[in-house]
């Protein structure tokens, strides 16, 4: 580093007041050095001589006027203070002219400060003191945990300048930003803070600096919550210009050199060479030793082992033969001549070449060339597709005699990015495999680039129903440690997203990934033997193998087969056309037939009636015949026969909600954010989850999606959202059943509190993963809660705080008043009041408990005229009294009649004389004139007073005579006897 100008006031005072002593010798040039005074307001300064030691000599040169403060030298030059002119740096040294450089990181250079802090102030108990930037010799590395690590450097510029640095940023799980604060504490614009992912090599970054004080900040935060190894951000070669003049040149560090004067930087030494500090040339390592590029010393070569070589195959020769070749891993560092070393196996064994890959044919020179458009092959010869068929275009790699031209392999090791060792995957006939690396922590990458995707001619006009592309590969891993195989996809090889990861040994298996964006044109397979660094190679035998790779609908691809398609007309040269919407193609004929009602077609090439998929319950197909949807209305028949009608339209807008917060080992709080688009008419905006951290801005769209959210203040954002994925992209059906289409929603997850059944929406995702081989699914229970007015009252099972217990099946409970059936007449009753003052009121009230919302409203209260109760009471009493009197009178009347009849009967019986079966003689029923009424002789002792009184009453008959009671026969006979005695 340069020595900057200090405050020289005390030196000037010393010059003014130093006593002259004749005993001190005269100063030589080696006894003092020159420095400039501080600049005055006019921008001028003085050059003064400063003794190296006080009171050692006398006769220092007088101060002279110095250069202007704006004066500076160019790169590779320094300011000679004696002549005050710029001179070139000598060989073996370098200079930035008006700047400083930091390229040695054995420790933090003076002026640099690093510290680790928590992401959020609420978690004050998290210990981030060790989460800092760490010097690693040639570079400084960031932290790899959830803490925020900051590296800062304060510098004062005499004039506007720049800061330049190199960085390696391979992992988008880390947020990396660089910004500058000036005198006014103004920071760099947030948009320019974001560092881009490195591509292939170290990236370079330059920022302009203002004159005055500037504080430089490099800041990283890891936001991943998965248990995976994170690759740190590396930083090196920091250079700042505009600081001041440079009065000296700096020596090249060990491992570098400058061969000519006037160098601005030192060049690293190549492999197997070394250099010391201030070297002008690099020296070759001694016999039996080696060194990596940029080394300051050489190391003894270890004995060769089986891990130091690999095998491959040569291209096919004119005879159709290939040779098995063994090669040393380059650069070769082992020694095969010392004791215990293995030698390279003999090469040259000839074998029959494997066939060409499908879509290629064998030329006369035994090379493989692609078939032309409209032709297909199985790897031997090309055949034209017959009329009425079309080629199935793509890339299929199943034979590995050479690495395909659109594939390459490389080793990712940030410490040795520029290493010549780039052999990571090699061909082995039936598969491609990972070769032993220099270190077990190396990332062995196999990269496939495709130009884009093009739909077949028969589906090019029907993009909504067609599958853009799909990649399928067969692989195997054999490991003795904690190896990992990553599959990545993205728009370039250094900005890929991890699609899937496999740990440890995995048997031979197939994996398929659906490509949904035309910008996804790069795929990578990355294998790491272990994440634990060790200088010794322990796991070189761990290997990953890929047997086949097949990707469909690739632009410029080749065909391995042809398939039947519908034709535009009956002409022999008719072109293939897609079947109309809602039609499938009859196999072997090319005829299009209509699918049954309420079915959709999701197959890429709909052949056969099986391509027509029936829509689930209470769903209807869309106009494009590509999926089924719900219009948010539902009619449901209960077991009792009651019709319930639902309208979920108020819940149709996309709704977001979070899981309960969780914490990583460092205390970083995070939670899962879900977005749901329950239902809606055609054209409804789907739920979208995005990645707002990396520049890729990846997003997914569907009915239900999830992303990981970390509350943070980084990037001037309150929320950091990452790792989005789809849970449901198709609606299976809407029903009250707990099982549909292989998806279950057990009652036990959300115990019901009422007898009204829950309405369940079933969703499924087409994305498959290693953990979810059948894809993910989601169920949303809508439960009627008339008192819940919030539209986003969504909860998760109590035993699965993130909505899922297995990571594949998600379950949610949505309680809302809008989840209730629409109200009808059956949901209310009427209450009739008493008649008060001739008025009667009818009131309508809801049945309790209330289990409906919306629909019909309660009718208004009705008022009607009525007769009061007291009037009816009076009328009733009067009527009752009259009826009682009449009843009593009638009773007396009939009683009297009965007594008369009894009397006559008794009299008739007396006249019979006690003889049976003898009729009495006829008596006169009338009283003759002059006869005395003998009714007074009747026995009245057994008659009531009322009866006695009635017996004396006389009734005049209609003929003018008075009617008298009849006498009995015995009475008449006795009277006759009495009359005879008197005579």
């Amino acid at each position: 580093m340069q020595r900057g100008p200090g405050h020289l006031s005390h030196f000037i005072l010393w010059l003014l007041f130093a006593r002259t002593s004749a005993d001190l010798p005269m100063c030589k040039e080696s006894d003092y050095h020159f420095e400039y005074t501080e600049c005055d307001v006019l921008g001028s300064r003085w050059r003064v001589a400063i003794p190296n030691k006080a009171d050692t000599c006398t006769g220092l040169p007088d101060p002279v006027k110095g250069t202007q403060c704006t004066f500076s030298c160019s790169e590779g030059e320094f300011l000679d203070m004696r002549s005050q002119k710029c001179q070139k740096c000598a060989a073996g040294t370098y200079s930035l002219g008006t700047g400083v450089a930091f390229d040695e990181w054995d420790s933090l250079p003076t002026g640099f400060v690093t510290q680790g802090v928590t992401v959020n102030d609420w978690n004050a108990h998290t210990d981030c003191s060790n989460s800092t930037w760490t010097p690693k010799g040639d570079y400084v590395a960031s932290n790899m945990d959830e803490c925020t690590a900051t590296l800062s450097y304060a510098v004062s510029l005499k004039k506007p300048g720049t800061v330049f640095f190199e960085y390696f940023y391979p992992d988008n799980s880390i947020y990396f930003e660089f910004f500058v604060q000036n005198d006014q504490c103004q920071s760099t614009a947030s948009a320019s803070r974001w560092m881009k992912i490195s591509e292939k090599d170290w990236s370079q970054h330059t920022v302009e600096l203002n004159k005055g004080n500037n504080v430089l900040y490099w800041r990283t935060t890891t936001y991943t919550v998965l248990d995976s190894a994170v690759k740190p951000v590396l930083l090196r070669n920091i250079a700042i210009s505009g600081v001041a003049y440079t009065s000296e040149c700096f020596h090249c560090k060990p491992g570098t050199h400058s061969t000519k004067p006037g160098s601005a930087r030192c060049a690293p030494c190549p492999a197997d060479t070394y250099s010391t500090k201030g070297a002008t040339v690099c020296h070759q390592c001694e016999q039996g030793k080696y060194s990596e590029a940029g080394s300051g010393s050489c190391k003894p070569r270890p004995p060769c082992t089986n891990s130091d070589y690999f095998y491959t195959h040569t291209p096919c020769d004119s005879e159709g033969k290939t040779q098995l070749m063994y090669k040393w891993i380059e650069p070769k560092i082992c020694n095969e001549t010392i004791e215990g070393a293995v030698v390279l196996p003999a090469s040259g064994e000839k074998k029959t070449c494997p066939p060409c890959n499908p879509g290629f044919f064998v030329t006369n020179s035994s090379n493989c060339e692609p078939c032309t458009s409209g032709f297909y092959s199985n790897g031997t010869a090309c055949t034209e597709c017959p009329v009425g068929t079309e080629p199935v275009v793509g890339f299929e790699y199943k034979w590995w005699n050479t690495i395909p031209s659109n594939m390459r392999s490389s080793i990712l090791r940030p410490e040795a990015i520029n290493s010549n060792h780039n052999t990571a995957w090699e061909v082995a006939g039936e598969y491609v495999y990972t070769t032993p690396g220099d270190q077990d922590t190396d990332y062995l990458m196999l990269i496939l680039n495709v130009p884009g995707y093009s739909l077949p001619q028969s589906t090019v006009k029907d993009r909504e129903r067609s599958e853009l592309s799909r990649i399928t590969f067969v692989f195997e891993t054999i490991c003795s440690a904690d190896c990992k195989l990553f599959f990545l996809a993205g728009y370039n090889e250094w900005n890929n997203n991890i699609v899937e990861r496999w740990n440890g040994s995995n048997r031979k298996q197939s994996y398929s990934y659906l490509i949904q964006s035309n910008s996804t044109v790069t795929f990578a397979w990355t294998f790491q033997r272990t994440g634990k660094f060790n200088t010794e190679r322990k796991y070189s035998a761990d290997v990953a193998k890929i047997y086949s790779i097949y990707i469909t609908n690739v632009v410029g691809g080749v065909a391995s087969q042809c398939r039947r398609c519908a034709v535009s007309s009956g002409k022999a040269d008719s072109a293939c056309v897609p079947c109309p919407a809602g039609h499938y193609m009859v196999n072997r004929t090319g005829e299009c037939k209509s699918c049954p009602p309420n079915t959709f077609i999701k197959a890429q090439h709909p052949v056969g009636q099986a391509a027509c998929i029936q829509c689930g319950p209470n769903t209807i197909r869309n106009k494009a015949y590509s999926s089924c949807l719900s219009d948010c209305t539902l009619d449901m028949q209960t077991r009792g026969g009651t019709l319930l009608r639902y309208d979920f339209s108020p819940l149709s807008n996309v709704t977001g909600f979070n899981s309960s917060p969780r914490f990583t080992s460092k205390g970083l709080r995070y939670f899962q954010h879900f977005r749901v688009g329950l239902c809606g008419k055609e054209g409804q905006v789907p739920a979208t989850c995005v990645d707002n951290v990396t520049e890729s801005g990846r997003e997914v769209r569907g009915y239900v999606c999830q992303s990981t959210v970390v509350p943070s203040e980084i990037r001037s954002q309150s929320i950091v959202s990452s790792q989005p994925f789809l849970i449901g992209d198709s609606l299976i059906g809407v029903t009250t059943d707990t099982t549909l289409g292989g998806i279950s929603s057990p009652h036990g997850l959300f115990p019901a509190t009422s007898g009204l059944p829950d309405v369940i929406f079933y969703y499924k995702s087409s994305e498959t993963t290693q953990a979810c081989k059948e894809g993910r699914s989601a169920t949303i229970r809508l439960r009627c809660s008339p008192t819940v007015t919030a539209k986003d009252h969504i909860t998760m099972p109590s035993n699965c705080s993130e909505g899922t217990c297995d990571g594949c099946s998600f379950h949610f409970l949505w309680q809302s008043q809008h989840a209730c059936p629409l109200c009808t007449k059956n949901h209310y009753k009427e209450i009739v009041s008493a008649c008060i003052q001739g008025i009667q009121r009818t009131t309508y009230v809801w049945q309790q408990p209330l289990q409906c919302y919306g629909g019909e409203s309660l009718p208004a209260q009705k008022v009607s005229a009525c007769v009061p109760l007291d009037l009816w009471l009076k009328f009733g009493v009067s009527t009752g009294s009259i009826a009682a009197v009449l009843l009593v009178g009638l009773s007396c009347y009939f009683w009297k009649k009965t007594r008369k009849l009894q009397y006559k009967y008794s009299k008739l019986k007396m006249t019979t004389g006690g003889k049976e079966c003898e009729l009495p003689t006829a008596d006169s029923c009338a009283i003759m004139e002059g006869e005395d009424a003998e009714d007074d002789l009747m026995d009245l002792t057994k008659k009531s007073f009322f009866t006695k009184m009635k017996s004396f009453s006389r009734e005049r008959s209609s003929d003018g005579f008075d009617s008298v009671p009849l006498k009995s026969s015995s009475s008449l006979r006795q009277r006759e006897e009495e009359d005879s005695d008197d005579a």
Side-chain angles (χ1 to χ4, degrees):
M1 279 179 52
Q2 78 159 34
R3 182 187 303 168
H7 295 283
L8 304 181
S9 301
H10 59 287
F11 290 110
I12 298 175
L13 293 174
W14 179 84
L15 289 172
L16 295 175
F17 298 101
R19 61 184 180 86
T20 303
S21 174
D23 298 335
L24 296 177
M26 295 297 293
C27 290
K28 301 178 182 178
E29 292 184 0
S30 58
D31 294 331
Y32 60 89
H33 64 275
F34 293 106
E35 291 187 9
Y36 280 130
T37 62
E38 294 288 346
C39 295
D40 56 24
V41 294
L42 299 177
S44 60
R45 54 190 173 184
W46 292 79
R47 189 198 71 175
V48 296
I50 306 298
N52 297 328
K53 292 183 180 180
D55 298 332
T56 57
C57 64
T58 185
L60 292 173
D62 295 331
V64 297
K65 191 163 184 69
T67 60
Q68 291 295 315
C69 292
T70 57
F71 176 83
S72 62
C73 295
S74 303
E75 289 185 344
E77 297 180 341
F78 72 100
L79 179 62
D80 184 0
M81 295 295 290
R82 296 188 181 277
S83 62
Q84 296 196 67
K85 293 182 179 180
C86 295
Q87 303 288 337
K88 287 187 176 181
C89 291
T93 63
Y94 71 99
S95 167
L96 297 178
T98 60
V100 290
F102 305 95
D103 53 9
E104 296 185 42
W105 297 92
D106 296 322
S107 61
L108 278 183
T110 304
F112 278 87
V113 178
T114 180
Q115 60 178 348
V117 296
T118 58
V119 178
N120 295 284
D121 295 336
W122 50 263
N123 194 7
H125 299 291
T126 302
D127 183 13
C128 292
S129 58
N130 295 324
S131 301
T132 59
W133 289 76
T134 306
K136 296 287 187 179
D138 293 332
Y139 56 86
V140 58
S142 72
N143 66 321
M144 293 178 289
D145 54 27
E146 305 88 52
C147 298
T148 296
T150 303
L151 179 68
S152 61
Y153 180 74
V155 62
S156 178
L157 301 187
K158 303 302 180 183
K159 63 177 182 178
T162 59
V163 55
F164 166 88
F165 59 89
E166 295 180 343
Y167 69 92
F168 184 71
Y169 177 25
D171 197 332
N172 56 16
S173 295
I174 294 182
Y175 165 68
F176 177 39
E177 66 175 338
F178 170 74
F179 61 95
V180 180
Q181 282 189 343
N182 56 22
D183 287 338
Q184 289 75 35
C185 292
Q186 295 175 344
S187 300
T188 308
S190 59
S192 61
R193 291 185 177 192
W194 304 1
M195 295 289 100
K196 294 183 178 180
I197 296 293
S198 301
E199 297 186 11
K200 301 181 182 179
D201 207 337
W202 289 79
S203 301
Q204 298 180 348
H205 191 66
T206 303
V207 174
E208 294 184 355
L209 302 177
N210 296 327
K211 179 181 178 181
N213 295 324
N214 292 268
V215 183
L216 316 179
Y217 292 94
W218 294 266
R219 188 162 67 179
T220 59
T221 302
T222 303
Y223 58 86
T224 181
V225 295
L226 298 176
D227 183 19
S228 60
V230 178
K231 297 181 281 294
V233 176
L234 308 183
L235 195 62
R236 72 179 185 185
N237 293 340
I238 300 176
I240 305 171
S241 65
V243 175
Y245 61 89
T246 299
S247 59
E248 60 180 332
C249 296
F250 305 101
H251 294 284
C252 293
K253 68 175 185 178
T256 64
H257 69 290
S258 62
T259 58
K260 57 183 180 180
S263 297
R265 292 175 180 81
C266 298
C269 291
D272 292 334
T273 62
Y274 72 98
S275 69
T276 57
K277 186 174 183 179
T280 58
V281 294
C282 297
H283 305 284
Q284 194 70 30
C285 288
E286 300 176 2
Q287 186 70 23
K289 292 186 177 183
Y290 79 101
S291 69
E292 296 177 350
S295 297
S297 62
C298 297
K299 297 180 287 187
R301 293 184 180 274
C304 293
T305 65
N306 292 329
S307 299
D308 291 311
Y309 66 87
F310 62 95
Y311 60 94
T312 184
H313 291 76
T314 61
C316 294
D317 56 20
S318 58
E319 299 177 355
K321 299 291 184 179
T322 180
Q323 292 182 332
L324 178 63
M325 306 295 294
Y326 293 92
K327 297 180 179 180
W328 294 112
I329 294 177
E330 296 294 338
K332 181 184 175 185
I333 63 173
C334 67
N335 190 344
E336 57 183 315
T337 60
I338 61 178
E339 184 179 356
V342 300
V343 296
L344 193 66
S347 300
E349 179 185 358
K350 287 193 174 184
K351 294 183 178 181
T352 302
C353 282
C356 293
N357 282 311
F360 291 78
F361 69 97
V362 183
T363 64
N364 295 331
S365 59
S366 298
N367 293 326
C368 294
E369 295 291 339
C371 295
T372 57
S373 178
F375 287 76
Y376 73 99
S377 82
N378 59 359
T380 55
C382 297
T383 305
E384 187 175 6
C385 289
V387 175
T389 65
E390 63 181 349
V392 181
V393 177
F395 283 136
E396 184 175 2
Y397 305 111
K398 56 189 297 187
W399 301 108
W400 303 92
N401 193 50
T402 58
I403 291 287
S405 58
N406 60 343
M407 297 180 69
R408 70 177 186 87
S409 69
S410 64
I411 293 179
L412 174 59
R413 189 193 314 149
E415 299 90 329
I417 289 291
N418 299 323
S419 172
N420 293 328
H421 181 188
N422 56 10
T423 303
W425 295 71
E426 273 293 342
V427 295
E430 296 182 352
Y431 56 84
V432 58
Y433 73 102
T434 54
T435 61
D438 285 345
Q439 295 180 4
D440 291 337
T441 54
D442 289 347
Y443 290 91
L444 309 178
M445 303 176 65
L446 179 66
I447 301 164
L448 168 64
N449 294 296
V450 296
Y453 311 98
S454 177
L455 292 173
Q457 188 173 359
S458 63
T459 58
V460 69
K461 296 181 181 180
D462 194 12
R463 294 180 178 271
E464 187 173 355
R465 287 191 296 142
S466 303
E467 182 178 285
L468 179 60
S469 181
R470 182 183 295 269
I471 183 171
T472 304
F473 58 92
V474 178
F475 71 97
E476 178 186 21
T477 59
I478 303 173
C479 301
S480 58
D482 58 336
C483 69
K484 297 180 180 66
L485 176 65
F486 300 90
F487 173 61
L488 306 95
Y491 58 85
N492 65 55
E493 62 186 81
W494 291 96
N495 200 349
N496 287 338
N497 294 302
I498 296 177
V499 175
E500 191 54 78
R501 179 184 64 178
W502 295 268
N503 298 328
S505 297
N506 291 272
R507 59 178 177 78
K508 188 176 180 180
Q509 59 187 281
S510 175
Y511 178 79
S512 183
Y513 173 67
L514 181 64
I515 302 166
Q516 298 177 324
S517 172
N518 212 351
S519 62
T520 304
V521 294
T522 301
F523 306 93
W525 294 263
T526 302
F527 181 70
Q528 185 187 38
R529 293 182 168 89
T530 182
K532 300 177 181 178
F533 180 79
N534 196 310
T535 56
E536 298 180 4
R537 291 183 295 178
K538 294 183 178 181
Y539 311 111
S540 296
D542 294 357
V543 64
K545 299 179 181 179
I546 295 179
Y547 292 88
S548 65
I549 300 175
Y550 179 49
I551 181 169
T552 63
N553 299 342
V554 179
V555 173
V558 293
S560 59
Q561 59 179 328
C562 297
R563 63 186 170 197
R564 175 68 63 177
C565 65
V567 294
S568 57
S569 65
K571 298 179 182 180
D573 58 348
S574 297
C576 292
V577 295
C579 286
H583 289 69
Y584 67 93
M585 192 179 67
V586 181
N587 196 15
R588 298 181 180 177
T589 65
E591 180 186 359
C592 294
K593 285 191 175 182
S594 176
C595 283
N598 206 29
T599 60
F600 71 99
I601 297 179
K602 195 152 188 174
Q604 177 188 1
H605 193 66
V607 178
Q609 190 171 356
C612 304
I613 304 173
Q614 185 68 38
C615 285
N618 300 302
T619 62
I620 55 175
R621 61 162 180 79
N622 61 357
K623 296 179 181 179
Y625 290 82
S626 60
S627 63
C628 298
L629 51 85
S630 168
D631 61 356
C632 298
T633 61
L634 177 66
D635 291 345
M636 193 72 66
Q637 198 86 18
T638 63
R639 294 182 179 178
T642 304
L643 179 63
L644 301 178
R645 292 189 169 179
Y646 295 85
D647 184 5
F648 305 123
S649 299
L651 307 178
S652 62
N653 293 332
V654 176
T655 303
F657 59 97
N658 300 325
S659 68
S660 301
R662 305 195 68 177
F663 299 88
T664 63
S665 58
K666 275 284 188 180
L668 173 66
R669 183 180 67 166
Y670 71 95
F671 50 86
Q672 307 300 343
H673 180 71
F674 299 91
R675 294 189 68 81
V676 172
L678 183 70
C679 54
K681 297 181 179 179
E682 195 156 1
Q684 179 82 5
V685 177
T688 304
C689 296
V690 300
D691 179 353
N692 67 357
V693 178
T694 60
E695 60 180 354
S696 65
R698 180 174 176 263
E699 64 178 32
V700 294
R701 296 173 178 266
Y703 283 101
V704 188
C705 62
Q706 174 191 313
S707 59
T708 301
V709 173
V710 179
S712 176
E713 297 303 325
I714 63 176
R715 281 196 182 173
S716 301
Q717 296 173 345
S718 58
I719 293 291
V720 172
S721 175
S722 64
Q723 302 164 355
F725 63 85
L726 270 177
I727 298 176
D729 57 9
S730 59
L731 177 62
I732 304 301
V734 183
T735 179
T736 56
D737 298 335
T738 57
T739 302
L740 180 64
I743 307 173
S744 177
S745 177
H747 283 299
L749 293 176
F750 305 102
T753 57
S754 65
L756 193 66
D758 297 332
V759 177
I760 308 174
F761 281 72
Y762 289 86
Y763 305 95
K764 192 167 183 62
S765 172
S766 58
E767 290 185 353
T768 59
T769 64
Q770 174 69 8
C772 307
K773 292 182 171 60
E774 301 298 325
R776 298 183 178 93
S777 64
T779 63
I780 300 180
R781 280 179 172 263
L782 296 183
R783 179 166 296 174
C784 175
S785 298
T787 58
V788 178
T789 58
K791 294 183 179 180
D792 58 349
H793 187 67
I794 304 176
T795 57
M796 298 167 218
S798 57
N799 57 337
C800 305
S801 60
E802 294 186 354
T804 178
C805 296
D806 58 4
C808 300
S809 301
F810 292 78
H811 306 279
F812 308 101
L813 174 64
W814 196 337
Q815 301 180 72
S816 173
Q817 58 187 4
H818 301 291
C820 298
L822 298 177
C823 294
T824 63
K825 294 181 179 179
N826 298 327
H827 289 97
Y828 60 81
K829 61 182 179 181
E830 64 178 22
I831 299 177
V832 181
S833 68
C835 185
I836 302 175
Q837 298 180 354
I839 297 177
Q840 190 174 48
R841 289 177 171 83
T842 303
T843 306
Y844 298 89
V845 295
W846 294 113
Q847 299 276 6
Q848 296 298 325
L850 181 61
Q851 292 184 335
C852 70
Y853 184 80
E856 291 192 14
S857 302
L858 277 177
Q861 187 184 64
K862 292 194 303 185
V863 179
S864 60
C866 62
V867 179
L869 179 62
D870 55 350
L871 179 63
W872 284 108
L873 183 60
K874 293 176 182 178
F875 176 77
V877 170
S878 301
T879 304
S881 301
I882 296 172
V885 172
L886 291 175
L887 182 62
V888 171
L890 289 173
S891 299
C892 294
Y893 172 77
F894 286 111
W895 181 84
K896 178 180 177 182
K897 288 291 185 181
T898 303
R899 294 299 296 174
K900 287 182 178 181
L901 290 175
Q902 184 180 6
Y903 169 74
K904 289 181 179 182
Y905 174 74
S906 299
K907 187 174 181 180
L908 288 174
K909 190 173 182 181
M910 290 173 60
T911 59
T912 60
K915 297 180 180 180
E916 297 180 0
C917 302
E918 182 179 350
L919 295 173
T921 58
D923 291 334
S924 174
C925 293
I927 299 176
M928 298 303 292
E929 184 180 355
E931 290 185 346
D932 297 333
E934 299 183 13
D935 291 339
D936 298 338
L937 302 178
M938 294 190 334
D939 185 13
L940 301 175
T941 59
K942 294 184 179 180
K943 298 177 181 178
S944 64
F945 177 79
F946 183 77
T947 306
K948 291 178 180 179
M949 293 301 295
K950 293 288 289 183
S951 67
F952 287 103
S953 65
R954 301 282 184 175
E955 294 184 5
R956 180 75 58 180
S957 61
S958 61
D959 56 2
F961 293 94
D962 295 333
S963 60
V964 296
L966 295 178
K967 298 179 181 179
S968 66
S969 299
S970 57
S971 300
L972 291 175
R973 188 179 297 113
Q974 182 178 3
R975 188 172 180 177
E976 289 176 355
E977 291 178 354
E978 291 177 353
D979 292 338
S980 62
D981 290 340
D982 292 336

